[in-house]
Amino acid sequence: VTERNLAQQESKRLQDELLHAGRISTMGELAGALAHEINQPLSAMMSNAQAARRYLTAPTPDLEEVREILDDIVKEDARAGEVINRLRALLKKAKTEFEPIDLNLIFREMVGLLHSDAVIRDVAVSTELDPSLPLVSGDRIQLQQVALNLMLNAFEAMNEHPNAERQVLIRTVLKDAQVLASVADNGKGIATGEAEKIFKPFYTSKPQGLGMGLSISRSIINSHHGRLWVENKPGGGATFCFSLPIAAEESIPKSI
């Protein structure tokens, strides 16, 4: 029994290591877009600071204008801090911890994190998030990783499409007592016979891909007692879907 418990603990440790490595790899691919995302508020802060200095050196400084500029600097600082905090949360090495999670919030956070990448790729991201969606039980960082992987796959699926057709739609809904989430793209869809192959480790159609994103995502969803699959859209493109059970009532703190 002791040996079996030790083996299970070691297996769990190795799984956490794999998930962490997957996040590190994904963040490396996003380095350019994330640098742009952080550079924008920093540039705005610099411009505002220079403007405030000009106002203050005037013979009769407009203090109200300076106050507004300082408010803008505070907002831009918060914006840059938010990006850094999201990165820190995704990159930190932590044990799996299940808690009640708002899946809508997970997707909103990832839409914010990938904003610059979407702009660079000229992808229009829209959401249809059920406002009455119940909470699910899960590990926040791991579910963020799934959302991130599915959104990046959707972006990359449309690399060869005209810019006007690059659209991603994220939906959440309650269906059959399960929370259902989907990420749909307008790419070329999944080739016949590959609907299961793409979830295998190291299977990829990308020249620079490692073939681990979807495999890791399915492993995460399976560990959350859910299911992850893909369907082709009738009009072209693919929809990646996953379902998760609703969090048990007794696990939800009264403050949530």
Side-chain angles (χ1 to χ4, degrees), residues 138-154:
D139 181 279
R140 178 175 299 278
I141 296 174
Q142 290 184 15
L143 292 180
Q144 286 176 334
Q145 188 173 356
V146 172
L148 186 68
N149 286 342
L150 296 185
M151 290 177 64
L152 285 175
N153 272 356

Side-chain angles (χ1 to χ4, degrees), residues 99-100 135 137 246-256:
E99 60 180 326
L135 302 179
S137 179
I246 299 171
E249 189 68 31
E250 59 271 18
S251 70
I252 302 175
K254 298 303 180 184
S255 59
I256 290 181

Side-chain angles (χ1 to χ4, degrees), residues 11-29 86-96 139 141-146 148-149 210 212-213 216-217 219-220:
S11 175
K12 185 65 179 63
R13 186 188 68 80
L14 291 174
Q15 183 184 35
D16 287 341
E17 292 280 358
L18 176 62
L19 296 177
H20 185 241
R23 292 194 293 275
I24 295 291
S25 174
T26 302
M27 289 301 102
E29 295 175 16
R86 286 173 183 164
L87 284 174
R88 184 183 293 122
L90 273 168
L91 293 175
K92 76 176 182 180
K93 193 172 179 181
K95 294 181 180 179
T96 302
D139 181 279
I141 296 174
Q142 290 184 15
L143 292 180
Q144 286 176 334
Q145 188 173 356
V146 172
L148 186 68
N149 286 342
L210 295 176
M212 291 301 294
I216 288 174
S217 295
S219 174
I220 290 172

Side-chain angles (χ1 to χ4, degrees), residues 8-107:
Q8 290 174 343
Q9 291 173 10
E10 178 64 9
S11 175
K12 185 65 179 63
R13 186 188 68 80
L14 291 174
Q15 183 184 35
D16 287 341
E17 292 280 358
L18 176 62
L19 296 177
H20 185 241
R23 292 194 293 275
I24 295 291
S25 174
T26 302
M27 289 301 102
E29 295 175 16
L30 284 172
L34 291 172
H36 178 71
E37 184 76 11
I38 295 173
N39 191 54
Q40 283 183 324
L42 292 180
S43 297
M45 289 163 65
M46 175 62 75
S47 298
N48 278 322
Q50 291 171 339
R53 184 162 57 184
R54 285 197 301 271
Y55 275 110
L56 291 173
T57 55
T60 54
D62 187 339
L63 296 182
E64 185 58 35
E65 189 69 30
V66 172
R67 284 193 197 92
E68 291 181 8
I69 290 174
L70 292 177
D71 287 341
D72 287 341
I73 291 175
V74 170
K75 290 177 184 176
E76 294 298 336
D77 176 76
R79 180 180 162 198
E82 185 178 355
V83 175
I84 293 170
N85 287 336
R86 286 173 183 164
L87 284 174
R88 184 183 293 122
L90 273 168
L91 293 175
K92 76 176 182 180
K93 193 172 179 181
K95 294 181 180 179
T96 302
E97 293 184 3
F98 278 55
E99 60 180 326
I101 299 291
D102 180 353
L103 201 58
N104 286 345
L105 180 58
I106 294 289
F107 276 112

Side-chain angles (χ1 to χ4, degrees), residues 70-245:
L70 292 177
D71 287 341
D72 287 341
I73 291 175
V74 170
K75 290 177 184 176
E76 294 298 336
D77 176 76
R79 180 180 162 198
E82 185 178 355
V83 175
I84 293 170
N85 287 336
R86 286 173 183 164
L87 284 174
R88 184 183 293 122
L90 273 168
L91 293 175
K92 76 176 182 180
K93 193 172 179 181
K95 294 181 180 179
T96 302
E97 293 184 3
F98 278 55
E99 60 180 326
I101 299 291
D102 180 353
L103 201 58
N104 286 345
L105 180 58
I106 294 289
F107 276 112
R108 289 192 192 100
E109 290 172 342
M110 293 306 99
V111 168
L113 185 64
L114 293 179
H115 171 73
S116 283
D117 196 45
V119 171
I120 291 169
R121 296 172 186 258
D122 205 6
V123 174
V125 179
S126 56
T127 59
E128 294 180 5
L129 307 178
D130 184 352
S132 59
L133 198 71
L135 302 179
V136 299
S137 179
D139 181 279
R140 178 175 299 278
I141 296 174
Q142 290 184 15
L143 292 180
Q144 286 176 334
Q145 188 173 356
V146 172
L148 186 68
N149 286 342
L150 296 185
M151 290 177 64
L152 285 175
N153 272 356
F155 289 3
E156 291 169 1
M158 299 181 293
N159 279 344
E160 299 177 3
H161 275 53
N163 292 13
E165 297 178 13
R166 297 178 185 177
Q167 298 177 2
V168 170
L169 175 60
I170 302 168
R171 283 194 179 106
T172 60
V173 67
L174 178 63
K175 184 177 181 180
D176 300 328
Q178 296 260 312
V179 170
L180 176 65
S182 63
V183 179
D185 62 66
N186 287 348
K188 61 183 180 180
I190 307 300
T192 303
E194 292 196 355
E196 281 302 312
K197 288 182 181 179
I198 60 175
F199 293 103
K200 301 291 184 184
F202 307 112
Y203 184 88
T204 181
S205 58
K206 307 172 194 172
Q208 307 299 326
L210 295 176
M212 291 301 294
L214 288 176
S215 174
I216 288 174
S217 295
R218 176 170 273 188
S219 174
I220 290 172
I221 296 301
N222 286 346
S223 71
H224 284 67
H225 308 291
R227 188 168 73 94
L228 170 64
W229 71 97
V230 64
E231 301 170 348
N232 276 326
K233 290 168 55 182
T239 302
F240 283 85
C241 312
F242 66 88
S243 59
L244 292 170

